[in-house]
Amino acid sequence: MTQTMRWFGPNDPVRLRDIRQAGATGVVTALHEVPNGAVWPQDAIAARKAEIQAAGLDWTVVESLPVNEALKTRSGDWDMLIDRYRQSLRNLAACGIRVVTYNFMPLLDWTRTDLAWELPDGARALRFDPVAVAAYDLFILRRPGAYDAYDLATQAAAEAGYAAMDDDARATLERTIIAGLPGSEEGFTSPQFLRAIEAYADVDAATLRDNHVAFLQAVCPLADELGVQLVVHPDDPPFPIFGLPRVVSTEADVADLFARVPNASNGLCLCTGSFGVRADNDLPGMVDRLGSRIGFLHLRSVQREADGAFHEAEHLGGDARMAAVMTAVHRLSVREGRSIPMRPDHGHQMLDDLNRTTNPGYSLLGRMRGLAELRGLERGIAHATGVMA
C-alpha cells in the first residue's frame, strides 16, 4: 500500500512535516477554499501540489471533489455543474492527480453525535448515537413527519435524553450534527437544514440511485480518457437519516452501481469504518470481490454497540477484522501488481493532542498510531506469506 494521511491544507493544525515524520509518503487533500460547484483552477492545483512536494511528500489522491446538491437531485443548473466538474477533472489530470474521491450523500457528509467521547483509557473518540439523532430530529429540528421514522421506544428515549440536556448540550448536539465536520463542504443552521431537506421531498432511494448513475454517465467517459478513477466514498453512517435516502451503504449497492456504469473510471473508496457499521457487510470479502474497482482505502474500525450506536475503535480493534482485511488487500496488491493508496482514518485524540486544538477525528497522534499499526500489520502479513507486494 501507499501510505498517506489526510491534510486539510495550509490551515490544518497538523503540518506537512508532521505527516512526513509519521512515516507517510503522501497526503490526500482538496482545495477546500474553492466553493462547492466551482471549477478547481489548474494553477491552484499545481501550487498546492508544489507545496506538498516541497515538504517531501506527494499528492496523487483528491479527497474530495464535491458533488453539488443540484447534481444529486438532478435539478437547477445540472448541465453547467457537470461541465464544471469535467473541467476540474481535466485540471487535476493535467497535474498528475489520477484518483478523485467523492460521495453521493444528500446534504450531510459523515455524521456523528459526539466528537469527544471519553474512552476508558482517557483518549477521546468520535461516536454516533441514534437516540441523540432522534432527539435532535424530534425536538430541535422538529422535522415534519419525523415521528414516523422512530419506534415508540426510541421516541421515549429521545424525549428523556432531550429533557436531560441543558441549553449548552442541546446547542452542542445541533452544532455537531449539522455545522459541518472536517471534510464536509457545507454546514447549516437548523432552519436552513429544514429548507434543504425539502429539496429532497421527491427524491427517494430509487431516484437518488438513478441520479447517481446519470452523474457517472456524464463524467466517466471523460475520466476514462484522462486515466482518472472516480472513487465513491460509502455512506457514513450507512443508512438513511433525517428522512434522506442513502444508496452507497452495502456491497449490493456498489455492485449495482458498477453494473449500471461499467466504465473503468467508476471505482470505490473502500472505507472499512463506514461499511463496517453494518454487520452484514463482509469487509475482507468485499476486497476480494470488488478487486480492481478499489482505488483508495480508508482503514479504520468501529465498535458496534448493542443499541445501534457505534464509536471509533482502535485501528486493529473493534469489528473491522482488520487482519483479515489487510490479508485480502495484500492478496489484491500482489495479484494486480499495484500499490493501493491508503490512509488511517479517524484516530483517537490522545496524549499531547488532548491539550491541542485539532480537527475532530484528525489529530496527529491517534492517526500516527493507526498508521504504525497498519504498516506493521501489512509487513507482518507480507513476511508470513513470503510475498512482498
Side-chain angles (χ1 to χ4, degrees):
M1 299 182 301
T2 301
Q3 299 168 24
T4 73
M5 278 192 179
R6 193 169 191 180
W7 183 59
F8 291 99
N11 294 325
D12 194 325
V14 176
R15 299 164 297 180
L16 288 171
R17 70 178 187 180
D18 299 331
I19 292 173
R20 186 176 180 184
Q21 289 175 17
T25 59
V27 297
V28 297
T29 191
L31 299 185
H32 295 286
E33 67 275 16
V34 177
N36 193 337
V39 174
W40 284 18
Q42 184 175 329
D43 58 352
I45 298 167
R48 185 61 52 83
K49 185 164 185 174
E51 178 183 8
I52 292 166
Q53 290 178 328
L57 297 163
D58 201 5
W59 179 27
T60 59
V61 179
V62 164
E63 187 174 1
S64 296
L65 182 58
V67 178
N68 188 275
E69 294 302 322
L71 294 176
K72 298 173 188 175
T73 58
R74 205 170 185 184
S75 61
D77 296 324
W78 193 90
D79 290 331
M80 179 191 71
L81 290 166
I82 285 291
D83 286 342
R84 289 179 176 180
Y85 206 94
R86 290 188 186 120
Q87 188 58 48
S88 292
L89 293 179
R90 291 188 188 96
N91 294 344
L92 286 163
C95 294
I97 297 173
R98 304 293 179 180
V99 178
V100 175
T101 314
Y102 74 98
N103 76 70
F104 221 76
M105 290 178 267
L107 300 182
L108 298 179
D109 201 316
W110 62 290
T111 305
R112 298 293 183 272
T113 57
D114 193 334
L115 305 182
W117 192 62
E118 189 164 334
L119 296 162
D121 64 1
R124 295 173 186 157
L126 306 174
R127 185 170 183 264
F128 179 92
D129 180 0
V131 173
V133 168
Y136 168 72
D137 198 8
L138 295 172
F139 304 111
I140 299 176
L141 184 63
R142 298 181 181 273
R143 177 173 61 89
Y147 278 91
D148 295 337
Y150 307 103
D151 59 33
L152 293 177
T154 301
Q155 293 176 27
E159 185 172 11
Y162 177 75
M165 297 178 195
D166 60 19
D167 289 343
D168 286 344
R170 292 170 182 174
T172 297
L173 177 63
E174 179 179 30
R175 186 168 59 250
T176 298
I177 291 175
I178 62 170
L181 293 172
S184 302
E185 303 301 328
E186 296 179 321
F188 302 94
T189 64
S190 286
Q192 290 170 339
F193 187 39
L194 270 180
R195 288 194 295 272
I197 288 173
E198 291 174 2
Y200 280 86
D202 296 323
V203 180
D204 59 10
T207 302
L208 188 62
R209 286 191 179 92
D210 289 344
N211 294 349
H212 193 175
V213 167
F215 164 74
L216 288 172
Q217 288 174 335
V219 298
C220 279
L222 174 63
D224 288 341
E225 293 176 17
L226 297 171
V228 169
Q229 188 176 34
L230 292 160
V231 294
V232 63
H233 188 287
D235 303 326
D236 187 2
F239 44 75
I241 54 175
F242 303 119
L244 297 166
R246 291 195 160 186
V247 295
V248 190
S249 297
T250 66
E251 181 177 357
D253 290 337
V254 177
D256 177 71
L257 191 64
F258 293 159
R260 295 179 68 181
V261 186
N263 300 63
S265 58
N266 181 19
L268 174 67
C269 169
L270 182 74
C271 179
T272 56
S274 297
F275 281 128
V277 169
R278 297 179 61 121
D280 57 346
N281 280 328
D282 168 20
L283 300 177
M286 290 175 74
V287 176
D288 286 331
R289 289 184 290 273
L290 298 174
S292 61
R293 294 286 193 169
I294 299 172
F296 184 29
L297 294 162
H298 287 185
L299 298 182
R300 65 180 174 92
S301 183
V302 298
Q303 180 66 60
R304 297 189 291 266
E305 301 175 28
D307 58 359
F310 63 87
H311 65 269
E312 307 287 348
E314 298 172 358
H315 284 78
L316 303 189
D319 291 308
R321 298 170 57 208
M322 194 61 73
V325 170
M326 188 69 78
T327 299
V329 169
H330 179 72
R331 191 162 52 238
L332 173 61
S333 298
V334 171
R335 182 171 71 244
E336 298 194 349
R338 64 187 176 111
S339 182
I340 304 171
M342 63 77 72
R343 69 172 177 86
D345 201 5
H346 295 183
H348 291 164
Q349 188 179 12
M350 57 190 295
L351 302 173
D352 287 349
D353 278 344
L354 289 167
N355 302 313
R356 296 175 181 158
T357 299
T358 64
N359 286 321
Y362 291 95
S363 56
L364 174 64
L365 298 178
R367 288 186 296 156
M368 183 171 69
R369 175 187 176 181
L371 182 62
E373 291 175 340
L374 294 166
R375 180 189 300 128
L377 178 60
E378 180 190 29
R379 187 163 298 183
I381 290 169
H383 279 288
T385 60
V387 180
M388 300 299 290

